[in-house]
Amino acid sequence: KPDLGYVRVRFGLASGSVVATVIGSAEHPKFTLFGDTVNTASRMESSGEPNCCQCTEVTARMIERQSLDLTTESRGTKLVK
């Protein structure tokens, strides 16, 4: 409903290894991911544009190889250290 306003989302994707664990109590467990890949995806999200997904070049190539329905568009090179 446009009268309620619009949601503008952005997210980041990166491919690579991560460490996964469950933290918290038995009543409130939380599944958590750690590692450079998670940090890179977070930085991709925070430097992205609204209503877009920003991903690493490696991830973009994987998407292009594995999906006929999705396309990627380069926004140039950006250091996200």
Side-chain angles (χ1 to χ4, degrees), residues 8-40:
R8 297 178 65 163
V9 298
R10 64 182 189 209
F11 59 99
L13 289 176
S15 302
S17 60
V18 297
V19 174
T21 188
V22 177
I23 61 173
S25 64
E27 294 95 25
H28 298 28
K30 293 182 174 111
F31 185 76
T32 307
L33 299 174
F34 298 95
D36 288 340
T37 304
V38 176
N39 295 335
T40 300

Side-chain angles (χ1 to χ4, degrees), residues 11 13 52-76:
F11 59 99
L13 289 176
C52 291
C53 168
Q54 182 161 284
C55 63
T56 63
E57 184 178 355
V58 170
T59 302
R61 280 191 254 131
M62 289 174 64
I63 291 169
E64 291 169 348
R65 278 196 313 265
Q66 296 179 19
S67 174
L68 301 176
D69 298 333
L70 297 175
T71 59
T72 62
E73 178 181 318
S74 176
R75 291 183 54 215

